[in-house]
Amino acid sequence: MGLRVLGVNASARTDGFTAELLDEVLEAARRKGASSERLDLVRHPFPFCAGNYSLDPASCGPETCVQGPWDGFGKIAERILNADAVVFATPVYWFSVSARMKALLERMTSMENHGLLNLGKPMALLAVAEEEGASGALGQMLLPLSYMGFVLAPLGLVYAHRRGQLSLKGDLEVLEDARVAGENLVLMAERLKGAPFQEPLPSYPLPLSNPRVAAD
């Protein structure tokens, strides 16, 4: 089976500029031999993070979240975990990532707190802005996802400014950036898959059912 690339669209729209840019990256990944899938968060609502980590870090995990692993977020988490590489795409709303992207990052704490479940997984990050804020939105995704173990593909940061355009098809520079990001994502995934990256152990007791405890 070939590599699987998942694209996460955090826009309120499934046919907007963010989706269009994401599709360009996914198409480049397909041309490089990977299979791809686009996940529109607007079609998969889930509750906000309940902030359980600050009360009891050991109970903030994929199987111990107080909201349950299958409250809507669980299905999203499963697709992220099963992917060999992930493209995270957000529009810029008031100089920041969308609320859906922020909510996703917060819920993904349960995927790194009992072990970095996405350690070494390549990613690309996309942001589309009407005016300003695209670079800031990329940074808002890059830092937490890096701490979660994701690895940025070379030239995997792509941003676009809408500026009254009806489509991104006329922006040849952005299309080229999307192509390079998609191809580099697949190349990195091919080289990193199965690599034995190291991670620190949590500083607090974990549930005995946790697979990392048994493995260690």
Side-chain angles (χ1 to χ4, degrees):
M1 181 181 292
L3 294 174
R4 293 166 294 187
V5 178
L6 175 68
V8 178
N9 174 26
S11 174
R13 299 173 55 194
T14 61
D15 60 350
F17 273 62
T18 302
E20 184 180 1
L21 180 59
L22 178 56
D23 286 344
E24 290 290 336
V25 176
L26 294 178
E27 174 59 28
R30 285 193 293 271
R31 290 196 299 266
K32 204 66 177 174
S35 63
S36 66
E37 173 192 11
R38 194 181 90 190
L39 189 158
D40 299 305
L41 292 182
V42 70
R43 300 186 188 277
H44 302 274
F46 56 88
F48 292 148
C49 175
N52 200 48
Y53 175 87
S54 59
L55 296 175
D56 181 10
S59 65
C60 177
E63 298 178 357
T64 59
C65 176
V66 295
Q67 302 188 88
W70 301 107
D71 65 350
F73 170 74
K75 295 181 180 179
I76 297 172
E78 183 177 47
R79 288 156 85 173
I80 292 175
L81 291 172
N82 288 334
D84 296 300
V86 183
V87 186
F88 295 92
T90 184
V92 175
Y93 295 157
W94 285 111
F95 312 102
S96 180
V97 297
S98 71
R100 287 181 175 83
M101 177 58 71
K102 186 62 167 63
L104 175 67
L105 295 175
E106 291 175 359
R107 287 300 304 272
M108 286 177 68
T109 301
S110 63
M111 300 169 65
E112 61 85 32
N113 189 43
H114 289 183
L116 300 176
L117 303 183
N118 292 292
L119 182 63
K121 183 170 295 183
M123 67 175 176
L125 306 177
L126 317 180
V128 176
E130 181 74 23
E131 295 176 346
E132 301 298 328
S135 60
L138 291 174
Q140 290 164 6
M141 293 187 289
L142 177 61
L143 189 58
L145 290 169
S146 295
Y147 272 104
M148 293 179 189
F150 287 91
V151 183
L152 183 67
L155 301 177
L157 295 175
V158 181
Y159 68 88
H161 289 99
R162 183 172 178 270
R163 291 173 179 161
Q165 299 181 80
L166 298 178
S167 170
L168 293 176
K169 297 297 184 183
D171 194 329
L172 299 182
E173 182 177 359
V174 169
L175 294 180
E176 178 66 3
D177 289 345
R179 180 191 67 81
V180 170
E183 293 186 359
N184 283 346
L185 189 67
V186 174
L187 289 172
M188 176 173 273
E190 290 173 343
R191 286 157 176 77
L192 293 186
K193 190 171 184 179
F197 292 100
Q198 299 297 308
E199 62 174 302
L201 290 172
S203 58
Y204 47 83
L206 292 175
L208 293 179
S209 62
N210 187 276
R212 288 183 67 251
V213 174
D216 293 338

